[in-house]
Amino acid sequence: MSADARSGVTPRRPPPMAPMGKARYRVMMTLVLVGLTLLAGRIVDLHVFDRPFLQGQGDARTLRTDTIPAHRGMITDRHGEPLAISTPVVTLWANPQDLPVDDIQRLMLARALGQELETLNERIARYAEREFMYLRRRLTPEAAQRVLDLRIPGVHAREEYKRYYPAGEVTAQLLGVTNIDDIGQEGLELAYQAHLAGVPGKRRVLKDRRGRLVRDLALLQEAQPGGDLTLALDQRLQYMAYRELKAAVAEHDADGGIVVMLDARSGEVLAMANQPSYNPNNRAGLDPQGLRNRAIVDIYEPGSVMKPLAMAAMLETGEVPADTVVDTAPGWMVIDRFTIKDIRNYGELSLAGILEKSSNIGMSKLALRLDDPVVPATYRAVGLGQSPGTGFPGEAAGSIPAPARWSSSQWAALSYGYGLSVSALQLASAYTAIANDGRRLPPSLLKLGQAPAGEQAIDAGVARRVLGMMDQVVEPGTGARRALVPGYRVAGKTGTVRKTDAGGYQQKAYRSLFVGIAPVSDPRIVTVVMIDHPRGESYYGGAVAAPVFSRVAGNALRLLDVPPDAREPES
């Protein structure tokens, strides 16, 4: 029993609702029900009909497809020693709109990046309307982590790779360089970009609104590393050749120089050194002249180093007997109003004597005996006037004048190395024909599985005879005596040629050359040395280029473990 009943008090009932109140109540309930119905409908609409759209919008704000950088292929020498490798680095970037405006945080960021606060603020202001800007590229992982540890909003990291060249300036022009995006720009890095470059991978990740990684969701595509490249180069010979070339250029105060060494049995490039050079790992203050691989892309008149090849052409005709003697007196002659001179009057010279004394008169008289221009035909047969076919960017083809332009003076000039242009690589390749019984081997920058067959450019007997003449050129007492290599027989030829410019031949500006084959008994290397514009006491090839050949070839033969073949001393 309730308390009101026990007390005898009758409870009061609420008064009946007035008709107007009932109407208002019904309206309010109707509105609530309509609102709930609309809300339920909207929920159904969003979850059923608009779900794909909303899902896409949400994913667009949180799901990202990140690129996985691909490792660039390694370049090695013929023995597997690394010449170009890729190392992991970190690039820091930022969303300028998320960076704090607080000066203290910006100062901390600037110091960690190694920048001035004013410089950083200027860059942020310049990119204020964008959502991306680089802070620093290619930092070491340790240096990047020091910046990330500051936990400054808007700063993010991206993994990349950076190219590193262990040999530095020693192989710079041959290998070339990559740009900041690891794309080949020069040399073999450019020539084999498609082979060396990998295929980037992809991954699906979840990020927050500030772009920070929350979770890896899925690997969409694995990164495919680039292919490796094995060069014919022997790093030991390359270091040695570069060292000797650099010392010679400094000694003679020259503009530059080249050393090219080919394997006489395969045509592979064992060494290719250039001066001047540069450090590809630090390109600050880089001189563009140092980028050029002069051994392949530069051409010049070769001068007297062409005489053995011209002699081979003449002997092949059968019109110049092996016992021919040429009277070179009085040491000069006039052809087509052009005066040709020797250094002195050598009188009567044998064919070997013409090469030993490097007589322009002797070569000219032999050339003018022939009815047909056989010399340029032989030059073409040994690969001159055409691309070497190495695939190196910008490789020079050189030039040989067209037959319609030949005159008696041009016939003569071609026989002693003027009137045509060649590269150092072409010259070395041409001499593989002398070293291989007349078979010319195309040059190769890549290591070969087996030696190519080559092309028979010169008669085998003629090639051996010319090799014997060149053997006599490099003897004690000759102008090429400084090319002698203790313990080995060397066949070679000196050359000294005047430089040209837009106005013609320069005064007192020369190139000093030497081409050598060693050892004579079983040729293993063909080497070309060129010193550009030596300013020392002498500029002749026998005095400037021949000593470089002696040191380079001597060291190379010992490193290659080639047995000595020196002549037995005469009794």
Side-chain angles (χ1 to χ4, degrees):
M1 181 180 294
S2 67
D4 291 337
R6 288 196 303 264
S7 60
V9 179
T10 302
R12 296 180 62 185
R13 295 180 180 178
M17 186 176 294
M20 184 60 69
K22 290 182 179 181
R24 188 179 298 113
Y25 175 76
R26 292 192 186 98
V27 170
M28 293 299 298
M29 290 301 295
T30 301
L31 292 175
V32 170
L33 290 174
V34 169
L36 290 175
T37 303
L38 292 175
L39 181 60
R42 183 57 177 161
I43 291 174
V44 172
D45 183 52
L46 292 176
H47 280 268
V48 177
F49 300 104
D50 288 344
R51 181 172 182 174
F53 171 77
L54 295 176
Q55 186 74 44
Q57 291 296 308
D59 290 348
R61 288 160 173 78
T62 58
L63 293 183
R64 296 286 188 272
T65 300
D66 271 4
T67 298
I68 305 173
H71 190 278
R72 190 174 179 86
M74 183 167 59
I75 302 178
T76 67
D77 82 337
R78 65 187 301 108
H79 301 298
E81 293 296 324
L83 299 174
I85 57 179
S86 291
T87 58
V89 291
V90 177
T91 286
L92 297 177
W93 64 276
N95 183 343
Q97 299 176 15
D98 291 340
L99 287 174
V101 296
D102 178 45
D103 287 341
I104 295 179
Q105 286 187 298
R106 287 200 179 183
L107 179 60
M108 293 170 58
L109 178 60
R111 287 179 175 176
L113 294 172
Q115 301 176 4
E116 295 293 333
L117 176 59
E118 182 180 351
T119 303
L120 178 61
N121 285 335
E122 288 177 357
R123 294 190 65 240
I124 294 174
R126 191 161 61 249
Y127 289 89
E129 301 300 322
R130 304 182 186 180
E131 296 183 355
F132 180 90
M133 65 174 283
Y134 284 117
L135 294 174
R136 278 288 298 275
R137 298 202 67 178
R138 293 186 167 189
L139 287 170
T140 62
E142 296 78 12
Q145 191 59 47
R146 286 195 293 269
V147 178
L148 295 174
D149 287 343
L150 297 175
R151 298 188 179 279
I152 296 177
V155 177
H156 310 281
R158 185 172 71 189
E159 295 179 356
E160 291 181 337
Y161 285 100
K162 178 182 179 181
R163 207 63 161 163
Y164 176 68
Y165 303 93
E169 64 184 62
V170 176
T171 56
Q173 291 88 354
L174 179 61
L175 298 181
V177 292
T178 60
N179 63 12
I180 198 167
D181 294 315
D182 218 21
I183 299 174
Q185 300 296 293
E186 300 282 346
L188 294 176
E189 293 277 27
L190 173 60
Y192 292 93
Q193 165 64 22
H195 174 76
L196 292 167
V199 179
K202 296 179 181 179
R203 63 179 180 177
R204 180 64 59 85
V205 297
L206 181 65
K207 293 186 177 182
D208 63 15
R209 68 182 187 86
R210 294 183 178 275
R212 294 173 297 194
L213 178 65
V214 176
R215 187 171 70 251
D216 273 327
L217 298 178
L219 177 63
L220 303 180
Q221 177 182 323
E222 289 188 355
Q224 301 295 323
D228 293 337
L229 199 64
T230 302
L231 304 189
L233 207 72
D234 188 323
Q235 188 170 225
R236 303 169 304 166
L237 304 184
Q238 179 71 13
Y239 268 105
M240 178 267 302
Y242 182 81
R243 181 190 65 217
E244 297 297 342
L245 177 64
K246 188 174 182 179
V249 169
E251 177 186 355
H252 297 284
D253 190 23
D255 287 346
I258 299 168
V259 172
V260 176
M261 182 185 297
L262 300 188
D263 187 320
R265 298 174 176 177
S266 65
E268 293 171 302
V269 177
L270 299 178
M272 180 177 285
N274 286 268
Q275 273 289 301
S277 189
Y278 68 99
N279 183 358
N281 299 312
N282 182 9
R283 302 170 208 173
L286 172 65
D287 182 0
Q289 292 294 326
L291 290 170
R292 207 168 67 247
N293 190 342
R294 298 172 180 231
I296 298 181
V297 305
D298 280 12
I299 55 175
Y300 47 84
E301 283 184 316
S304 295
V305 293
M306 298 302 298
K307 289 174 182 174
L309 297 172
M311 184 70 74
M314 298 172 189
L315 289 172
E316 274 198 297
T317 65
E319 299 178 31
V320 179
D323 58 355
T324 298
V325 175
V326 178
D327 186 5
T328 65
W332 60 272
M333 63 186 296
V334 178
I335 306 177
D336 296 337
R337 297 179 297 177
F338 292 97
T339 301
I340 301 172
K341 296 181 181 180
D342 283 340
I343 295 176
R344 60 180 63 91
N345 180 8
Y346 293 117
E348 293 186 346
L349 292 174
S350 65
L351 298 184
I354 290 174
L355 294 185
E356 178 194 334
K357 301 299 182 182
S358 198
S359 172
N360 294 337
I361 303 300
M363 293 301 299
S364 299
K365 288 189 173 182
L366 289 174
L368 295 177
R369 286 186 183 186
L370 306 176
D371 295 330
D372 297 322
V374 295
V375 171
T378 297
Y379 287 170
R380 289 194 178 89
V382 295
L384 305 182
Q386 54 196 290
S387 173
T390 63
F392 193 88
E395 67 176 4
S399 65
I400 298 174
R405 298 172 52 195
W406 291 338
S407 61
S408 295
S409 59
Q410 285 178 314
W411 283 27
L414 285 171
S415 70
Y416 56 82
Y418 278 79
L420 74 159
S421 61
V422 303
S423 69
L425 179 63
Q426 285 181 308
L427 191 58
S429 177
Y431 268 86
T432 60
I434 301 296
N436 280 286
D437 293 338
R439 287 185 305 108
R440 179 249 173 182
L441 301 173
S444 175
L445 298 174
L446 304 183
K447 184 179 180 180
L448 302 176
Q450 61 182 13
E455 298 178 359
Q456 196 70 33
I458 302 172
D459 177 77
V462 169
R464 287 192 290 269
R465 186 175 301 166
V466 172
L467 182 64
M469 294 180 186
M470 293 173 64
D471 185 14
Q472 297 178 47
V473 169
V474 186
E475 288 186 349
T478 66
R481 62 188 180 278
R482 294 179 180 85
L484 287 167
V485 177
Y488 298 92
R489 292 167 57 196
V490 172
K493 183 67 187 78
T494 61
T496 308
V497 61
R498 292 175 63 184
K499 293 185 66 172
T500 60
D501 57 19
Y505 289 104
Q506 301 179 37
Q507 295 295 322
K508 298 182 179 180
Y510 300 88
R511 289 188 176 95
S512 306
L513 297 101
F514 187 87
V515 180
I517 300 171
V520 171
S521 59
D522 184 14
R524 287 293 305 279
I525 57 173
V526 176
T527 306
V528 172
V529 178
M530 190 277 286
I531 306 297
D532 186 12
H533 194 184
R535 296 178 177 84
E537 295 181 358
S538 180
Y539 55 83
Y540 291 108
V544 176
V548 180
F549 169 86
S550 175
R551 295 189 291 271
V552 170
N555 289 329
L557 293 172
R558 287 185 284 272
L559 285 170
L560 295 173
D561 200 22
V562 178
D565 72 336
R567 294 186 182 89
E568 293 294 330
E570 296 181 3
S571 59

